[in-house]
Amino acid sequence: TKGQVVVVGGGSGGATAAKYLKRFDPNLDVVLIEPIPRHYTCYGSNWYLGGLTRMDRLAQTFTVLRDTHGIQVIHDTVTAIDRDNHKVHLAGGDRLSYQKLVLSPGIDFRYDAVAGYGPEVAETIPHAWKAGPQTQTLRRQLEAMPDGGVFVMVVPGNPFRCPPGPYERASLVAHYFKQHKPRSKIIILDNKETFSKQGLFMDGWQQLYGNMIEWVPSSQGGQVEEVDAATRTVYADGGLTRFQADVLNFIPPQEAGRIAVESGLTGATGWCPVNQLTFESAMDPDIFIIGDASIAGQMPKSGHSANTQGKVAAAAIVRTMAGMEMLALSTVNTCYSLVGPEYGISIAAVYRYSDGEITGVPGSGGVSPADASLHFRRQEARYAQGWYDSITADIWG
Ligand code: FAD
């Protein structure tokens, strides 16, 4: 009989896994479950916030996966995983059997972490850390903000989705302000002491935006403890420091997507421990967890990571079902960030599994040079667009 693999989540990890499962074994029945018919990528959402692209350019659909690759796509939500009976329950009432299950549910927010912020508050004080309506709310607020206003971003500690993401966002909001509201200010309240590509970002900010962006590390008042939604005020430093925002972007601390938590697949940290050779859950040998939800050694929580992990899990499942042993595969990540429309920077690494963990291969990657020419930065900004086009084609095309 044909094997049946169910994939939960049609984002970067899940859609890749579905496509490559079918590619590695065309005889498999692959079912992809994703509630939202148009997936808006988070990558590129900062470009939209800065006015560089339209929202509909970030929409990915499942037509090609269904019509060309033969994947059964169901637009529904998985409400429970019955691990004992190998079944998933759908909100619409159906139950589906699986032999192997791939979970790529992304993140959910730890709304209990900071007083005064919760799901209701997020309607007016957006996190915009899942792309879609939240991103549009934030853009509308930035458009409505008067010149001379203050945009405050609250950034969580590690680990979280997309380590350079908040700083690219600050950059492109600065680009928008510089054109339309040049007297405005951006304050980043950070729950850590250092951040990804810090030197490159800070150099770029100075060159392009002067002193518009102020970054406050946790030891200097950046550790936010309370939000007053009504006045858009945040309190830090045991109440000693307060910042009042005209537009407030609060990015809460995160954990694995709800379904993974509720199915008992997360550890004490809120993320999913896996065998890093295969992405098989440490709690269940028939469930594979990839993308942001997983603990993947040194790999960052990025779309590119989720994409390579989807291929590894697909290979592991096909080999296991065929009774073959898994090979140690190399994985890769590149994160481009735009500091301005013509100013790109990047970080890249190749990873290898050894001794139970995924670690970066020494000398395999790195960040953009500190002293590069503007021509070089312009080239990297083009590569960022090229990366977007090729990764989305690999995942949903
Ligand atoms: P997602 O892509 O979020 O997919 C999860 C999917 O699962 C969703 O579609 C959701 O609807 C679905 N789902 C959840 N629960 C259920 C359920 N119970 N039943 C059915 N479906 C369910 N990464 C990069 O590589 N490069 C970048 O430049 C970059 N920029 C970013 C900028 C920003 C502002 C942000 C926020 C992120 C950025 N990222 C970037 C990170 C990237 O978006 C994520 O790492 C990536 O989306 C993770 O993929 P995933 O499959 O784990 O989760």
Side-chain angles (χ1 to χ4, degrees):
T1 66
K2 290 204 286 187
Q4 164 129 317
V5 182
V6 172
V7 180
V8 182
S12 300
T16 304
K19 178 171 168 180
Y20 279 80
L21 276 161
K22 204 68 186 163
R23 179 171 287 183
F24 294 155
D25 183 357
N27 291 320
L28 275 182
D29 273 337
V30 179
V31 184
L32 177 63
I33 305 169
E34 162 61 54
I36 309 166
R38 282 159 75 85
H39 176 89
Y40 289 93
T41 60
C42 280
Y43 25 103
S45 67
N46 290 330
W47 309 350
Y48 164 77
L49 289 173
L52 275 51
T53 192
R54 295 196 323 257
M55 200 62 194
D56 59 7
R57 297 285 300 276
L58 307 177
Q60 307 297 331
T61 66
F62 299 92
T63 321
V64 178
L65 291 180
R66 194 185 54 219
D67 296 346
T68 307
H69 299 294
I71 293 154
Q72 189 189 338
V73 179
I74 299 177
H75 290 303
D76 207 336
T77 301
V78 173
T79 51
I81 303 170
D82 177 355
R83 285 166 48 189
D84 292 336
N85 296 304
H86 285 68
K87 279 189 170 56
V88 293
H89 297 194
L90 304 187
D94 282 348
R95 306 203 160 176
L96 283 179
S97 296
Y98 64 83
Q99 263 174 287
K100 301 284 178 192
L101 185 70
V102 179
L103 270 189
S104 194
I107 54 159
D108 267 300
F109 301 106
R110 288 179 40 215
Y111 281 123
D112 56 349
V114 172
Y117 196 79
E120 334 73 50
V121 175
E123 296 296 313
T124 49
I125 298 181
H127 49 75
W129 221 241
K130 292 187 184 187
Q134 278 274 316
T135 324
Q136 287 170 301
T137 302
L138 181 54
R139 172 71 190 178
R140 272 195 300 273
Q141 292 181 355
L142 292 167
E143 282 171 354
M145 193 188 90
D147 188 12
V150 180
F151 171 51
V152 175
M153 257 175 96
V154 179
V155 181
N158 294 319
F160 65 105
R161 159 175 286 182
C162 196
Y167 315 97
E168 182 190 60
R169 175 169 292 178
S171 306
L172 294 182
V173 170
H175 167 73
Y176 167 68
F177 284 172
K178 190 177 168 183
Q179 293 172 300
H180 299 282
K181 348 198 143 179
R183 295 187 299 116
S184 308
K185 216 166 154 47
I186 299 174
I187 299 173
I188 307 171
L189 301 175
D190 212 330
N191 209 341
K192 52 187 158 326
E193 291 298 298
T194 58
F195 63 88
S196 174
K197 294 181 271 192
Q198 183 168 349
L200 290 166
F201 270 115
M202 289 185 144
D203 275 357
W205 291 345
Q206 204 59 51
Q207 280 181 50
L208 299 179
Y209 310 117
N211 294 320
M212 188 184 273
I213 303 174
E214 184 189 344
W215 175 70
V216 185
S218 57
S219 61
Q220 285 166 47
Q223 190 176 348
V224 169
E225 285 134 7
E226 193 179 336
V227 181
D228 178 16
T231 59
R232 291 182 304 277
T233 306
V234 295
Y235 297 88
D237 234 358
L240 285 177
T241 331
R242 58 189 277 274
F243 296 88
Q244 218 243 313
D246 292 286
V247 176
L248 179 56
N249 175 205
F250 188 94
I251 307 167
Q254 298 150 29
E255 62 186 4
R258 195 77 66 235
I259 188 69
V261 177
E262 287 172 355
S263 306
L265 297 165
T266 48
T269 58
W271 306 100
C272 301
V274 295
N275 173 340
Q276 294 180 20
L277 177 67
T278 57
F279 285 86
E280 175 189 311
S281 164
M283 276 80 165
D284 190 321
D286 293 321
I287 300 182
F288 292 71
I289 307 168
I290 54 174
D292 291 352
S294 69
I295 300 171
Q298 292 181 355
M299 296 189 82
K301 297 189 185 303
S302 78
H304 201 158
S305 294
N307 167 257
T308 33
Q309 292 162 8
K311 296 174 189 178
V312 172
I317 288 170
V318 168
R319 290 183 75 91
T320 309
M321 288 174 115
M324 291 154 82
E325 239 176 67
M326 185 56 180
L327 309 166
L329 301 176
S330 289
T331 51
V332 65
N333 177 63
T334 314
C335 278
Y336 287 98
S337 301
L338 294 185
V339 183
E342 298 280 305
Y343 193 116
I345 57 177
S346 65
I347 182 166
V350 178
Y351 300 88
R352 192 179 289 148
Y353 172 86
S354 75
D355 291 336
E357 218 204 342
I358 297 174
T359 51
V361 174
S364 69
V367 297
S368 314
D371 52 0
S373 64
L374 284 176
H375 173 73
F376 191 96
R377 303 285 189 233
R378 202 173 311 126
Q379 290 289 84
E380 288 225 276
R382 300 225 167 96
Y383 299 155
Q385 183 63 55
W387 172 87
Y388 184 94
D389 294 343
S390 51
I391 201 115
T392 51
D394 188 35
I395 299 172
W396 293 280

